[in-house]
Amino acid sequence: EDELSRSSHSNPGKSLVNGIKTNPASSSPKSSLPVPMGPPVYVDLAYIPNHCSGKNTDPEFFKRVRASYYVVSGNDAANGEPSRAVLDALLEGKSQWGENLQVTLIPTHDTEVTREWYQQTHEKQQELNIMVLASSSTVVMQDESFPACKIEF
């Protein structure tokens, strides 16, 4: 607290965020610091952040988070969910892996965006060993029904 107080008195217009001096014009220290490079992370299942919105996911996500299965849950076209740019980022990121591991994309909703993307990029998906899982199964719970996929590891 004393350090923050001294910092703001001696450097008006500057503040500390997690011990890092930042300019109030920048919204977070993340915007002024580069993300350190590191080895990719391999996981069985990854949920694409923010309902597959382009706000948080780019090709770098798919270069670094290498999953056997990616879940796409977006179903809000008005908010750009799922984002075509994110689906394209999967193709771009996967093309950088240097290994031809099988990847399965699991959309939780049948949307126009995912259907168009699937049709327009089908050859690229095959080339990159990406399978899009379509489900004809439906789960019925109380007054609600929804499509479902079962995955076994």
Side-chain angles (χ1 to χ4, degrees):
E1 195 173 279
D2 290 339
E3 189 176 339
L4 177 60
S5 176
R6 282 194 307 269
S7 174
S8 60
H9 291 301
S10 63
N11 286 326
K14 299 265 184 186
S15 63
L16 290 176
V17 175
N18 294 329
I20 300 170
K21 286 186 181 180
T22 61
N23 187 338
S26 84
S27 59
S28 71
K30 185 166 65 169
S31 63
S32 62
L33 298 174
V35 176
M37 292 303 294
V41 176
Y42 291 86
V43 296
D44 289 329
L45 178 74
Y47 176 87
I48 298 178
N50 203 20
H51 302 287
C52 196
S53 167
K55 297 173 189 169
N56 300 68
T57 309
D58 60 8
E60 192 63 33
F61 173 82
F62 294 105
K63 289 177 191 174
R64 295 177 132 200
V65 179
R66 299 180 181 186
S68 297
Y69 300 87
Y70 290 102
V71 177
V72 176
S73 71
N75 190 25
D76 186 355
N79 284 321
E81 300 167 4
S83 166
R84 169 69 189 249
V86 173
L87 297 171
D88 288 340
L90 168 61
L91 298 175
E92 184 179 336
K94 174 86 166 60
S95 70
Q96 303 291 315
W97 288 13
E99 50 195 332
N100 199 18
L101 300 174
Q102 170 73 47
V103 168
T104 302
L105 186 68
I106 306 167
T108 60
H109 296 89
D110 182 23
T111 67
E112 188 173 329
V113 170
T114 54
R115 272 182 272 134
E116 285 180 4
W117 176 82
Y118 176 80
Q119 292 170 352
Q120 294 170 359
T121 64
H122 188 69
E123 285 182 24
K124 184 73 171 173
Q125 294 166 42
Q126 287 181 321
E127 175 186 315
L128 293 172
N129 204 13
I130 297 173
M131 180 177 75
V132 178
L133 191 61
S135 174
S136 58
S137 300
T138 302
V139 172
V140 178
M141 294 179 67
Q142 296 172 351
D143 298 333
E144 176 179 20
S145 68
F146 47 90
C149 297
K150 179 180 178 185
I151 303 171
E152 292 185 27
F153 294 97

